[in-house]
Amino acid sequence: MSTLREQMKDKKRIVVKIGSSSLTHRETGDMDYIRMEKLVRELSDIRNQGKEVILVTSGAIAAGKNALNMKDMRVDSQAETLAVKQACSAVGQARLMMTYQRLFAEYNQVAAQILMTKNTIVDDLNRYNAHNTFSELLQMGAIPIVNENDTIATYEIEFGDNDTLSAVVAALVEADLLILLSDIDGLYTDDPRKNPNAEFISQVDELSDELMGMGKESTGSSVGTGGMNTKLIAARIATKSNVDMVIANSRDIGVLHRILDGGQEGTLFVAKRDESFDLPGFLSDLHKK
Ligand code: GLU
């Protein structure tokens, strides 16, 4: 076990995902600038160590809702909900990037924005182009900042959550490691908020059906869309694409350094390449009922 953790020191291409609940204050829904600043500082330092960094960030819809004073607005139909969400993300994504750009610039880093939908992967030409863009940006030393293109993504073409998106990005760029920063410590045998006997699982070598069944639909937070279920789907995509994945708590952003230093943090899902894994096919089937 320790050797796998030791190997974290050699990871070169790292995708980090942070969710809306980690980027906003629980009480108000407003952006948590201190957390964002710490995140940017950590990522910039990892970049300065000569590693390649990609950030997958949520928070567009949350930031937009706040900017537009829509936090408590009631919406009456599904179409309205969608339109409101898309409008909020159009405002919020720009705000989010403005903040990231400013913070990364302070640390002398060049940040780049990439917005994706499921079509970016399912369509061969789009996937090829996206792959090339990522490669080029990384070669230029930039830090790609990725989100779903929420403004245009509707049910048919959306990933729906950034856990899945981050694993897709990690697979696309052939990353060495994916780190999911969340409001939970990692994987437990049951929901630790409800069951005090739930045990922590520090390493998963095999994603069995039983384990996949442990996924719970909710993180208990009111922002963001990812629960344990989407994290396990992300783990499936990542590990089958030969990418190690760690789920860790974003409470202390310094956890990023400790993971890359080989520390026993969060839950490690060990990569296990599956040659027969067809990512575009997997994604096309993902939301089909
Ligand atoms: N893409 C959404 C946003 O930026 C969030 C999706 C998620 O939380 O998983 O607001």
Side-chain angles (χ1 to χ4, degrees), residues 54-66:
I54 294 173
L55 172 64
V56 177
T57 182
S58 307
I61 298 173
K65 271 190 185 162
N66 269 51

Side-chain angles (χ1 to χ4, degrees), residues 207-215:
L207 267 174
S208 62
D209 289 343
E210 191 200 341
L211 243 168
M212 291 301 289
M214 275 183 202

Side-chain angles (χ1 to χ4, degrees), residues 1 4-5 185-189 199-205 245-247 263-270:
M1 205 145 100
L4 277 175
R5 289 294 187 160
D185 296 332
L187 184 65
Y188 284 84
T189 51
E199 279 170 40
F200 188 70
I201 305 173
S202 62
Q203 185 171 316
V204 176
D205 294 297
M245 180 180 120
V246 175
I247 301 178
Q264 282 289 345
E265 299 282 349
T267 302
L268 166 64
F269 295 80
V270 183

Side-chain angles (χ1 to χ4, degrees), residues 273-286:
R273 187 190 290 284
D274 175 355
E275 295 293 349
S276 65
F277 182 59
D278 161 30
L279 180 60
F282 181 87
L283 286 178
S284 326
D285 291 342
L286 196 57

